[in-house]
Amino acid sequence: MHDILTLISGRAHPELAREVADYLGITLGKIDLWDFPDGEIGCKLEQNIRGRDVFLFQPTGPPVNDNLMELLIMIDACKRASAERITTVIPYFGYARQDRKDAGRVPITAKLAANMIVTAGADRVLTMDLHAAQIQGFFDLPVDHLYAAPILDQYFRSLNLPPDKLAIVSPDEGSIKRALHHQRHLGGSLTIVDKRRSSATRTQQANLIGEPLQGKIAVLFDDMISTAGSICGAADVAHKHGAEEIYISAAHAVFCGSAVSRLCEAPVKEVVVTNSLPIAKAQDLPNLHTVTVAPLLGEAIKRIHRAESVSYLFD
């Protein structure tokens, strides 16, 4: 049972899937995916997976609907091809921001997406840096939730930033727990930017809570950079309050809308992200640094396949 590990990638991020396969010392499974003229997705497995432990690799980032649907179709194909177990490897889980009913007559789309993955036939989910950790409970199956924080912290330690000048900055009140985690591992002081949301796409930042930033090296951490409005607004506040250097960092580089132009104009020395999502050439900023999560995902896949503990990867 589960004796043969098979890693199959969708079209969302084959480059990262190949990195993970190289880490595992295997080749990617053979699958043919195509689009019909009307936009429907076609899928055919080009190898036997009967009785195998299959890991389907597909972040559901932009275009979210296409990538999510492709994942569901791949799950169904593997189920009907008699895979012994199907684990969906979703480095970035789309629709995660719609995780609660915060107004009347709105959906909880994160739960809907989870239901679709379960109904399609997945047996397990491996994901990374969910927008809200409680989304794990939306799945009626085991979820392994990894964090990119140790990898990002390792990079910032390599910069040898002076501890007495380092300030870990939370871009809003909702990211305080994340900022505290980074502060424990990197040291430095803690500062929080007071963010007020005026609409789904607009926020306002003005005040700081905590240690002053005058003459400090500010490092801002968030789970994702989408339109970059929040993180760039926080960087502007840090700059206005006297920060000497500013770094911004996130697990997921969604980079949609005006993100690239905002990041280019922001008073930021470096933008540090992971490769959980593909970054197009048009999004490759001159001050962008990308760290790979392939070893993290590869080690988790190896341990899930061997029925070993995964907890040390995210404790």
Side-chain angles (χ1 to χ4, degrees):
M1 183 178 180
H2 310 338
D3 58 335
I4 302 176
L5 188 159
T6 303
L7 179 64
I8 298 173
S9 175
R11 293 178 292 179
H13 200 354
E15 296 84 4
L16 179 56
R18 280 191 286 270
E19 280 191 53
V20 173
D22 289 343
Y23 178 88
L24 294 169
I26 62 175
T27 57
L28 285 176
K30 297 177 181 178
I31 188 171
D32 187 17
L33 292 158
W34 68 93
D35 295 317
F36 287 101
D38 62 356
E40 291 183 7
I41 297 170
C43 172
K44 183 181 179 183
L45 295 164
E46 298 288 357
Q47 68 177 76
N48 177 29
I49 62 166
R50 183 179 295 273
R52 296 193 177 193
D53 192 11
V54 175
F55 291 79
L56 292 177
F57 194 98
Q58 180 87 331
T60 53
V64 178
N65 297 332
D66 290 347
N67 288 330
L68 175 59
M69 193 65 204
E70 185 169 282
L71 174 61
L72 299 176
I73 291 170
M74 289 194 297
I75 294 170
D76 187 71
C78 291
K79 195 76 174 177
R80 296 179 189 279
S82 301
E84 182 66 36
R85 181 174 66 175
I86 301 168
T87 300
T88 56
V89 183
I90 312 173
Y92 171 80
F93 180 65
Y95 281 116
R97 282 170 290 186
Q98 300 179 51
D99 63 344
R100 64 196 182 281
K101 195 170 181 181
D102 55 358
R105 301 177 296 281
V106 298
I108 304 178
T109 323
K111 173 60 174 170
L112 174 62
N115 285 346
M116 289 192 291
I117 290 169
V118 173
T119 302
D123 297 300
R124 193 178 194 97
V125 170
L126 172 62
T127 189
M128 190 181 83
D129 282 278
L130 290 168
H131 186 63
Q134 65 265 24
I135 292 173
Q136 296 173 74
F138 291 178
F139 291 91
D140 296 323
L141 43 73
V143 175
D144 291 297
H145 185 205
L146 305 179
Y147 293 93
I151 297 172
L152 296 171
D153 288 344
Q154 183 178 13
Y155 172 73
F156 281 105
R157 278 194 294 269
S158 73
L159 298 179
N160 295 316
L161 303 175
D164 59 321
K165 297 184 69 175
L166 181 63
I168 306 302
V169 180
S170 174
D172 53 49
E173 294 87 343
S175 300
I176 294 173
K177 186 175 180 180
R178 180 180 296 104
L180 283 169
H181 173 90
H182 288 288
Q183 185 197 27
R184 283 197 300 270
H185 290 83
L186 295 175
S189 60
L190 178 68
T191 303
I192 303 158
V193 176
D194 181 21
K195 182 181 83 170
R196 308 293 171 90
R197 183 170 291 279
S198 56
S199 71
T201 58
R202 298 184 64 183
T203 58
Q204 292 180 335
Q205 297 95 343
N207 303 315
L208 292 180
I209 303 169
E211 297 293 325
L213 294 179
Q214 185 67 42
K216 295 278 191 174
I217 299 173
V219 185
L220 287 71
F221 288 100
D222 213 343
D223 63 321
M224 70 174 75
I225 300 175
S226 183
T227 62
S230 295
I231 197 82
C232 288
D236 286 337
V237 172
H239 179 69
K240 289 174 183 175
H241 281 77
E244 187 177 294
E245 287 183 358
I246 301 171
Y247 296 81
I248 62 177
S249 180
H252 305 300
V254 182
F255 289 1
C256 58
S258 303
V260 172
S261 61
R262 282 175 174 157
L263 290 167
C264 286
E265 295 168 3
V268 173
K269 182 173 183 179
E270 197 167 49
V271 180
V272 183
V273 297
T274 80
N275 62 342
S276 64
L277 287 168
I279 297 173
K281 287 184 178 180
Q283 300 171 329
D284 195 3
L285 305 164
N287 61 341
L288 182 70
H289 182 83
T290 306
V291 296
T292 183
V293 292
L296 176 67
L297 294 169
E299 187 63 27
I301 289 171
K302 183 192 300 183
R303 287 174 167 269
I304 291 169
H305 176 64
R306 295 177 176 175
E308 297 174 351
S309 172
V310 183
S311 61
Y312 96 99
L313 294 172
F314 55 87
D315 278 345

